[in-house]
C-alpha cells in the first residue's frame, strides 16, 4: 500500500506523518496540512459504509496506524449512527438525490468525521501517553459534534468558542448541556470569524501552544477532511456511478466538506463538477464568478453554519490551484488578510471553474425551497440543505445527475422549518429532553489574553 506524508500549504514546515497532523491541527508556519500524494481509490466496492471507509482512508493513515487497529475504530464510529446505511441516499426528484449526513449523535454531518476523529485521538494519545487541550471555533455544528466526540475522554480537555447569540437554540443547547468535566462552551462577544481568528492566534502563540498542549478538531484538521472523502465514494457506489461522473452540490461554509469531494475526485472518483451553494455570505460564489476574493462583513442568516466570509479550508484549494507552491499560497493569503481582497490569475481561475460552479440563495429563497419541498414530497429539510437543493436546481443541466449533501437534520433548525411549513420538526429520542437540561456556558470578550487565561484555567492534569 502506498503511504502518504503531509506538507503545509505554506511550504515552510517540515513534512510529518498522519498522527502528527491529527494532533497538531495547523502547521507551525500557519498553513494547513495536505497529503504530498493522492492515493488512488481501489476498484473494490465493499457493501457496508464502515468497510468502504476503512478501504478509502487506509492509505492516509498507513504510516502510523495499524490496519488491525484502524478498522475496529471505524466500525465503532459508524455503529453509533441511527441508519443502517450510515449516510443514506434518497431521491428528491428525477436525477436529483439527497445524501443524508445527519444520522450521527448531534444531527449534522460533522459527526461523520468527528466520531472517528475522537477515537483516533484516544488511540494515539494512549499510545504516546500524552494529553491535549482541544480548542475550536464553531459557527454552530462543529462545537457540539467535537464535544460529543471527546466527552469524558481522560486525555482530552476541550474548549469550544462560539459567536454569542448567532447559533440556533438547539445548536447552543447541544454545546452547553453536555454534562462532562472535560467539556467547556464559551460564548464570545463577536462573529464566527472572530472566534476562528482567536483560535488561529492561540495556535500562533508558540509558548501558549506548548504550555497547554494545544490541538484542534475544527475543519482545518486533515483527519476530518479525510473522513469526509468517504461519503462521496459511497454516494457514487449507491447510485452505481463508480465509473460515471456525478455532480455534487455542497452547502458550503468553511469549504471543508466540498474540499473532501475534491480530494475524492483527485483520488479517481469520476466527478462532473461541484456546485458550491452559499447563503448571502457568498465570498466563494463571487470568487468562482469573478476570480477575485473580496471580503465583506458577515451577515446573520437562517443557515448560521454557513455565515462565514473567510473559509479556512479554501487555503487547501488555493494551494492546489497554485501548483503546490507554498510561499505563493502564503503570499496570496496574507495579501487577502491585509487588504480584504486577492485575485487569481486567469489560468488559476480557469482551473477553478473547470471543477466548481457556485450560486447563492437569500433567506427568502431558502424558505421558499423548504416550503416547496414539503408541499411536493412531504419531506422536511432544514435551511442549509435547502440552499443546496435550490442551488442544484438552479445550476443543473437537464441531463446532469446531482447529489446534494443534506448536512443537518431538520430538528436542528426548527424555527426556520416551522416558519416555512407550519410544522415544527421533533427532536429524535436521544435528545428529547434537550430543552429541560441545565446549561453551562462562559461568556468572554473577543480578547486573546482573556481567552488564553480561561483555557489555561480549565485544563486538567
Ligand atoms: C458545517 C456545516 C456546513 C458547512 O460545511 P463546511 O465544511 O464548513 O463548508 C453546512 N451545513 C451544516 C449544517 C453545517 O453544520
Amino acid at each position: 500500500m502506498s503511504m502518504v506524508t503531509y506538507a503545509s500549504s505554506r511550504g515552510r514546515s517540515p513534512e510529518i506523518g498522519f498522527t502528527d497532523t491529527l494532533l497538531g491541527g495547523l502547521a507551525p508556519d500557519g498553513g494547513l496540512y495536505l497529503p504530498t500524494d493522492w492515493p488512488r481509490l481501489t476498484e473494490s466496492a465493499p457493501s457496508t459504509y464502515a468497510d468502504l471507509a476503512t478501504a478509502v482512508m487506509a492509505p492516509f493513515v498507513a504510516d502510523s496506524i495499524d490496519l488491525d487497529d484502524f478498522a475496529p475504530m471505524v466500525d465503532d464510529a459508524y455503529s453509533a449512527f441511527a441508519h443502517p446505511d450510515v449516510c443514506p441516499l434518497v431521491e428528491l426528484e428525477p436525477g436529483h438525490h439527497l445524501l443524508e449526513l445527519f444520522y450521527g449523535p448531534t444531527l449534522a454531518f460533522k459527526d461523520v468525521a468527528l466520531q472517528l476523529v475522537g477515537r483516533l485521538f484516544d488511540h494515539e494519545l494512549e499510545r504516546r501517553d500524552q494529553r491535549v487541550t482541544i480548542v475550536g471555533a464553531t459557527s454552530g455544528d462543529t462545537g457540539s459534534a467535537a464535544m460529543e466526540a471527546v466527552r469524558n475522554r481522560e486525555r482530552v480537555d476541550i474548549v469550544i468558542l462560539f459567536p454569542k447569540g448567532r447559533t440556533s437554540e438547539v445548536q447552543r443547547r447541544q454545546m452547553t448541556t453536555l454534562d462532562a468535566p472535560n467539556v467547556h462552551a464559551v460564548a464570545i462577544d463577536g462573529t464566527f470569524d472572530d472566534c476562528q481568528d482567536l483560535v488561529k492566534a492561540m495556535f500562533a502563540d508558540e509558548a501558549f501552544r506548548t504550555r497547554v498542549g494545544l490541538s484542534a478538531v475544527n475543519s482545518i484538521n486533515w483527519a476530518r477532511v479525510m473522513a469526509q472523502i468517504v461519503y462521496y465514494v459511497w454516494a457514487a457506489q449507491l447510485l452505481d456511478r463508480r465509473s460515471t461522473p456525478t455532480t455534487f452540490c455542497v452547502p458550503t461554509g468553511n469549504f471543508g466538506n466540498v474540499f473532501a469531494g475534491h480530494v475524492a475526485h483527485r483520488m479517481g472518483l469520476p466527478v462532473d463538477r461541484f456546485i458550491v451553494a452559499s447563503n448571502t455570505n457568498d465570498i466563494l460564489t463571487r470568487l468562482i464568478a469573478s476570480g477575485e476574493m473580496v471580503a465583506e462583513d458577515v451577515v446573520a442568516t437562517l443557515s448560521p453554519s454557513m455565515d462565514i466570509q473567510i473559509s479556512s479550508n479554501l487555503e487547501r484549494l488555493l494551494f492546489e490551484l497554485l501548483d503546490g507552491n507554498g510561499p505563493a499560497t502564503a503570499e496570496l493569503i496574507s495579501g487577502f488578510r491585509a487588504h480584504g481582497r486577492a485575485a487569481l490569475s486567469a489560468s488559476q481561475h480557469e482551473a477553478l471553474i473547470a471543477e466548481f460552479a457556485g450560486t447563492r440563495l437569500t433567506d427568502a429563497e431558502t424558505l421558499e425551497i423548504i416550503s416547496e419541498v414539503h408541499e411536493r414530497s412531504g419531506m422536511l429539510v432544514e435551511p442549509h440543505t435547502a440552499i443546496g437543493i435550490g442551488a442544484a436546481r438552479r445550476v443543473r443541466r437537464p441531463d446532469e445527475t446531482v447529489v446534494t449533501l443534506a448536512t443537518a437534520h431538520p430538528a436542528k433548525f426548527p424555527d426556520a422549518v416551522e416558519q416555512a411549513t407550519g410544522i415544527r420538526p421533533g427532536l429524535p429520542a436521544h435528545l428529547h429532553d434537550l430543552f429541560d437540561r441545565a446549561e453551562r456556558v462562559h461568556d468572554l470578550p473577543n480578547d486573546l489574553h482573556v481567552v488564553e487565561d480561561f483555557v489555561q484555567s480549565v485544563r486538567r492534569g
Side-chain angles (χ1 to χ4, degrees):
M1 187 183 302
S2 71
M3 283 197 202
V4 171
T5 55
Y6 297 85
S8 165
S9 57
R10 302 202 182 166
R12 297 205 168 89
S13 301
E15 283 182 20
I16 60 175
F18 174 75
T19 51
D20 290 325
T21 73
L22 175 74
L23 301 181
L26 231 88
D29 63 6
L32 279 65
Y33 285 110
L34 284 129
T36 49
D37 189 20
W38 302 107
R40 297 295 296 174
L41 292 171
T42 56
E43 304 277 304
S44 78
S47 62
T48 70
Y49 186 89
D51 288 350
L52 178 71
T54 302
V56 169
M57 291 186 282
F60 291 108
V61 306
D63 71 318
S64 36
I65 304 178
D66 245 2
L67 206 53
D68 292 343
D69 292 331
F70 185 61
M73 280 188 265
V74 174
D75 277 344
D76 192 42
Y78 297 119
S79 67
F81 279 62
H83 194 288
D85 279 349
V86 182
C87 302
L89 199 61
V90 298
E91 187 176 55
L92 179 67
E93 52 217 356
H96 188 185
H97 308 262
L98 292 182
L99 181 63
E100 295 183 334
L101 303 175
F102 50 70
Y103 288 95
T106 70
L107 313 181
F109 83 89
K110 310 291 199 292
D111 288 324
V112 180
L114 284 165
Q115 283 296 307
L116 176 65
V117 167
R119 286 163 174 82
L120 289 168
F121 261 71
D122 222 25
H123 178 263
E124 185 60 17
L125 291 172
E126 193 68 40
R127 198 187 65 78
R128 296 184 183 196
D129 189 22
Q130 278 180 9
R131 341 180 19 92
V132 293
T133 306
I134 292 173
V135 174
T138 188
S139 56
D141 297 326
T142 302
S144 56
M147 290 161 140
E148 182 70 48
V150 303
R151 70 158 154 172
N152 292 322
R153 300 211 190 268
E154 249 332 290
R155 294 174 174 275
V156 180
D157 296 292
I158 185 164
V159 176
I160 294 292
L161 314 182
F162 67 92
K164 186 179 167 79
R166 293 181 192 240
T167 62
S168 81
E169 189 170 1
V170 174
Q171 287 179 317
R172 188 191 72 237
R173 285 184 167 274
Q174 283 183 316
M175 291 188 277
T176 58
T177 61
L178 270 182
D179 187 20
N182 64 330
V183 163
H184 308 277
V186 175
I188 294 289
D189 197 1
T191 64
F192 170 66
D193 287 334
D194 293 331
C195 295
Q196 195 154 259
D197 284 345
L198 283 167
V199 171
K200 285 199 170 185
M202 281 187 265
F203 272 92
D205 181 345
E206 187 70 46
F208 176 76
R209 174 184 171 139
T210 314
R211 192 160 67 239
V212 303
L214 209 56
S215 189
V217 294
N218 52 6
S219 63
I220 57 175
N221 193 300
W222 165 257
R224 281 188 56 187
V225 174
M226 173 187 81
Q228 293 171 179
I229 301 166
V230 176
Y231 47 69
Y232 289 89
V233 184
W234 179 242
Q237 182 173 310
L238 290 175
L239 284 173
D240 202 12
R241 296 177 76 89
R242 283 286 303 261
S243 46
T244 320
T246 304
T247 292
F248 293 93
C249 178
V250 188
T252 296
N254 247 326
F255 209 78
N257 205 0
V258 69
F259 188 78
H262 165 79
V263 174
H265 191 195
R266 291 293 304 256
M267 293 171 73
L269 184 72
V271 171
D272 189 336
R273 55 182 176 160
F274 296 98
I275 301 168
V276 174
S278 308
N279 62 27
T280 39
N281 299 293
D282 63 342
I283 186 169
L284 294 170
T285 52
R286 286 183 285 117
L287 170 66
I288 292 165
S290 70
E292 212 187 349
M293 272 194 303
V294 184
E296 284 178 2
D297 288 339
V298 179
V299 183
T301 70
L302 294 174
S303 42
S305 302
M306 294 157 53
D307 288 348
I308 294 167
Q309 280 291 342
I310 304 171
S311 303
S312 53
N313 267 291
L314 185 64
E315 181 164 339
R316 289 192 161 110
L317 185 72
L318 294 173
F319 177 78
E320 293 259 285
L321 291 171
L322 273 61
D323 292 324
N325 184 334
T329 307
E331 204 180 303
L332 189 73
I333 298 283
S334 67
F336 176 66
R337 284 260 160 194
H339 310 297
R341 59 170 63 224
L344 297 176
S345 72
S347 63
Q348 290 156 0
H349 184 223
E350 240 166 68
L352 176 69
I353 60 179
E355 191 177 1
F356 297 90
T359 190
R360 64 164 219 168
L361 269 74
T362 63
D363 276 353
E365 290 168 327
T366 307
L367 290 169
E368 232 167 82
I369 298 280
I370 297 174
S371 150
E372 189 272 339
V373 166
H374 180 248
E375 266 168 37
R376 204 169 350 152
S377 69
M379 202 186 292
L380 292 177
V381 295
E382 55 75 44
H384 307 79
T385 303
I387 287 172
I389 292 170
R393 284 177 175 170
R394 192 184 290 164
V395 170
R396 179 176 168 233
R397 300 181 304 263
D399 63 329
E400 194 172 3
T401 296
V402 179
V403 172
T404 293
L405 275 51
T407 49
H409 189 288
K412 199 146 190 179
F413 301 92
D415 296 338
V417 176
E418 185 173 16
Q419 192 184 341
T421 64
I423 297 171
R424 196 164 181 86
L427 287 162
H430 74 278
L431 290 170
H432 76 279
D433 63 343
L434 186 66
F435 284 82
D436 304 326
R437 296 180 194 167
E439 289 194 78
R440 198 165 58 94
V441 61
H442 309 269
D443 285 307
L444 295 183
N446 178 16
D447 179 319
L448 179 62
H449 295 292
V450 175
V451 176
E452 285 188 344
D453 284 348
F454 175 81
V455 172
Q456 177 100 35
S457 74
V458 295
R459 88 181 258 280
R460 305 165 301 170

